[in-house]
Amino acid sequence: MSITAINVRNQFRGKVKEIIEGPVVSEIDVETPAGLIVTSVITTRSVKELRLEVGREVIALVKSTEVSIAAL
């Protein structure tokens, strides 16, 4: 599969740094070339179907209708 066009503007190319696999959902940490860590929670089934593994190059696509901020 190749993506020719997508409407998600926040895209972060990087490599899978860590996978914390659970029985239903898993956490995927992607590290960008700048050192930014983007974490995604996806189904464990998707992890297997995408054949994700540490070191694999991926693109993290971020689309959100809400960004929350907490005061410190």
Side-chain angles (χ1 to χ4, degrees), residues 2-68:
S2 64
I3 299 172
T4 57
I6 192 164
N7 70 335
V8 177
R9 299 294 178 236
N10 299 307
Q11 301 178 21
F12 301 94
R13 185 176 295 268
K15 291 186 179 182
V16 176
K17 180 176 180 166
E18 182 178 14
I19 298 173
I20 302 172
E21 195 171 300
V24 178
V25 295
S26 297
E27 290 182 42
I28 311 299
D29 285 347
V30 175
E31 184 172 16
T32 69
L36 174 72
I37 302 295
V38 179
T39 302
S40 178
V41 176
I42 63 174
T43 64
T44 300
R45 180 180 192 174
S46 291
V47 172
K48 293 177 188 335
E49 288 176 357
L50 292 169
R51 295 186 289 242
L52 296 181
E53 58 186 30
V54 173
R56 176 142 187 207
E57 288 190 54
V58 295
I59 298 174
L61 305 167
V62 180
K63 186 166 184 167
S64 177
T65 58
E66 178 181 333
V67 176
S68 299

